[in-house]
Amino acid sequence: QVQLVESGGGLVQPGGSLRLSCAASGRIFSINVMDWYRQAPGKERELVSQINNKGMANYADSVKGRFTISRDNTKNTGYLQMNSLRFEDTAVYYCHAVVQGADRRYFDVWGQGTLVTVSS
């Protein structure tokens, strides 16, 4: 069984920074795509950023130039560096990945979420 565990959320003032981590564990052969989604209170879950296994990334327009996604394939871990945080970035952030297990089957895996609160 493959699991994703996020960390790094918390309370930050506007203009501040946070770095989220997403660690995959289990019998993993490879990780294809890693994504970060977020869901603000009363809103739909939205895709924030995505990175493939070649390191190619894309971002939602709302975070371009402020957030940076990355991954360390040797550690099966993904990261989301968030700078210049705004009130509207407040949300629960979820890590998602398409993982190929040791048996070569593919799994669609979600983390439990980590809360990011931007407040003065």
Side-chain angles (χ1 to χ4, degrees):
Q1 187 175 0
V2 178
Q3 291 183 321
L4 298 178
V5 177
E6 299 108 331
S7 61
L11 175 64
V12 64
Q13 292 186 337
S17 298
L18 282 175
R19 187 193 196 206
L20 305 183
S21 298
C22 172
S25 62
R27 300 186 67 229
I28 297 169
F29 177 72
S30 67
I31 299 176
N32 190 351
V33 175
M34 296 189 83
D35 315 307
W36 288 94
Y37 286 76
R38 67 185 181 187
Q39 188 166 20
K43 293 191 176 181
E44 301 270 324
R45 189 174 296 190
E46 63 173 350
L47 177 63
V48 175
S49 183
Q50 184 177 74
I51 186 168
N52 66 15
N53 55 8
K54 292 179 172 55
M56 294 180 64
N58 56 58
Y59 300 89
D61 287 343
S62 58
V63 306
K64 278 180 183 175
R66 300 188 298 122
F67 290 11
T68 302
I69 192 171
S70 61
R71 59 191 284 174
D72 184 339
N73 293 330
T74 65
K75 297 180 180 178
N76 288 331
T77 300
Y79 305 96
L80 186 68
Q81 177 67 42
M82 305 185 296
N83 298 329
S84 302
L85 282 161
R86 305 169 179 170
F87 293 119
E88 55 264 36
D89 295 317
T90 295
V92 178
Y93 285 70
Y94 297 91
C95 178
H96 166 263
V98 176
V99 179
Q100 189 176 23
D103 60 1
R104 303 303 189 264
R105 289 189 300 163
Y106 285 91
F107 298 90
D108 193 65
V109 189
W110 288 87
Q112 81 287 356
T114 185
L115 178 62
V116 172
T117 303
V118 184
S119 176
S120 55

